Amino acid sequence: MTPADFDYLRKMLRERSGLVLSAEKQYLAESRLLPLVRRNGLASLADLIGDIRLKPSSQLATDTVSAMTTNETFFFRDKAPFENFRDYIMPALVAVRLREKRIRIWCAAASTGQEPYSLAMTLNEMGPALAGTRVEILATDLSGDVLDRAKAGLYSQFEVQRGLPIQQLLKYFTQEGDSWRIAPEIRAMVQFRTLNLLNDFSPLGTFDVVFCRNVLIYFDQETKIGVFNRIAKQIPDDGYLVLGAAETVVGLTDAFKPMPERRGVYTPNLAARRAGPVTLFASAKF
Amino acid sequence: MKTCLIVDDSSVIRKVARRILEGLEFTIEEAEDGEQALAACQRKLPEAILLDWNMPKMDGYEFLRVLRRLPGGDGPKVVFCTTENDVAHIARALHAGANEYIMKPFDKEIVEAKFQEVGLI
């Protein structure tokens, strides 16, 4: 790939998905895009970038962005967020939603579905503790391809062995050859929708819990701040934001504050909300 | 350091598993079949057992049933690691007292995830 083509690709990725590809990651671009080159009958990466330059709105351009996103995920990843969800967040929300009896959850980077299905299984296990509360899970991702996989709910033997306890596998999956398919009742608990995290979130409505894990690490500071700001608008005062182990709001926005002793869990900063528009540290350097 | 007994009639599998588990800071003992494994457990019970199903002399399932009846035999965390990858075998293993189940082929991530699941790491 020529330096000019690589620069064009980096600029396009940043503008369209927020993904920041550092200058030394050319090898990554080549390894991820060569299969796309072959699949589309193109001769080279130069042809791929050339086609995208001519037709920036084409399916090929969309597929290129999708191929460059990292879809690494597994069931019950990091465990603690799901324990916090089951033992603290949901009981607290059920208690304050006794009248509405409705809780909305958003998985903002759902990838191939392991996170939303882990939440759905957790909710299913909670049973009576939900006190008849209707829980909706919206799972979004930039890539339609990975969401198609998520909707199918069909996982390889390798995928179901990363994070999923064996009892859960037997309880919630059926075997299809070498693969395992999620149970229809768990599948039915999750709605899937493509969404770019650079876009406006207001059409989605408000959410009591937002899981936005292991995606912001790929964004630059400015993009992270924008995402936090827009998520903050969709969360009520008593809602929760859950981030990945390597992510934080600290130093980026005062829209949220970390919950002491519940790593990765954040609540709206009510003092900042009452003080007026969310303060963002757009010029902060870290 | 915790001890893990690797029970498998394949020396290649034992070698791969040993490398993974030593990387997770386990002291390793090896057995080629259920009888050898039982003898090892009667000498000293390990904290963990990575257990194949199909082996000569005594298979993994039979070994587990005997182990769980030994004094203190409910102590070791037993993780099956086998090519018997169907629901019926998994259910039988759990019923006999297995704590987790790895379907071969496996890699370091899977072993680590399963050992974490049962609180061994």
Side-chain angles (χ1 to χ4, degrees), chain A residues 15-202:
Chain A
E15 286 173 355
R16 293 182 61 150
S17 69
L19 178 67
V20 175
L21 193 63
S22 54
E24 72 277 8
K25 291 278 178 69
Q26 188 164 330
Y27 73 92
L28 185 71
E30 289 174 356
S31 67
R32 289 193 175 177
L33 295 181
L34 278 171
L36 192 63
V37 166
R38 284 194 287 273
R39 218 165 41 241
N40 284 274
L42 298 168
S44 64
L45 283 165
D47 283 1
L48 176 77
I49 302 298
D51 277 17
I52 296 171
R53 282 181 195 266
L54 285 174
K55 295 176 192 166
S57 304
S58 65
Q59 185 60 42
L60 189 61
T62 304
D63 291 347
T64 299
V65 174
S66 184
M68 288 307 302
T69 58
T70 298
N71 298 307
E72 167 83 0
T73 182
F74 43 94
F75 290 100
F76 297 100
R77 185 175 187 175
D78 299 332
K79 234 175 171 187
F82 299 93
E83 290 168 355
N84 281 328
F85 175 72
R86 178 195 63 205
D87 300 337
Y88 180 78
I89 295 175
M90 283 307 294
L93 283 171
V94 167
V96 296
R97 297 284 184 274
L98 283 175
R99 208 176 51 178
E100 301 91 333
K101 287 204 170 293
R102 181 181 184 231
I103 292 172
R104 296 191 77 218
I105 300 163
W106 175 23
C107 284
S111 188
T112 42
Q114 283 90 330
E115 182 177 84
Y117 288 142
S118 297
L119 291 172
M121 286 185 273
T122 303
L123 290 166
N124 197 68
E125 294 291 318
M126 290 182 73
L130 295 176
T133 305
R134 186 160 62 92
V135 183
E136 299 171 15
I137 303 173
L138 176 68
T140 65
D141 199 277
L142 173 70
S143 167
D145 287 345
V146 298
L147 282 184
D148 285 344
R149 279 208 57 214
K151 286 178 201 167
L154 190 65
Y155 296 96
S156 70
Q157 188 171 286
F158 181 79
E159 288 169 318
V160 297
Q161 295 200 93
R162 294 179 73 197
L164 188 67
I166 196 70
Q167 290 87 353
Q168 303 272 72
L169 179 69
L170 287 191
K171 186 172 178 181
Y172 292 116
F173 290 78
T174 51
Q175 197 169 18
E176 295 185 11
D178 288 335
S179 301
W180 296 78
R181 192 179 298 277
I182 195 89
E185 65 269 26
I186 299 299
R187 166 68 187 82
M189 291 171 71
V190 184
Q191 300 284 315
F192 292 96
R193 180 170 168 175
T194 54
L195 178 85
N196 190 331
L197 289 176
L198 299 185
N199 293 349
D200 179 19
F201 302 151
S202 55

Side-chain angles (χ1 to χ4, degrees), chain B residues 4 11 13 27 38-39 42 46 57 61 71-72 81 98 103 107 115 120:
Chain B
C4 181
S11 60
I13 295 288
T27 301
L38 204 53
Q42 280 163 339
K57 294 184 185 170
Y61 177 75
C81 184
M103 296 177 272
D107 65 4
F115 273 53
L120 282 164

Side-chain angles (χ1 to χ4, degrees), chain A residues 218-238:
Chain A
Y218 300 107
F219 294 170
D220 61 22
Q221 304 288 31
E222 187 188 339
T223 308
K224 284 180 197 175
I225 290 165
V227 172
F228 283 138
N229 188 24
R230 281 174 287 114
I231 289 176
K233 291 178 183 167
Q234 307 311 124
I235 297 185
D237 287 355
D238 52 6

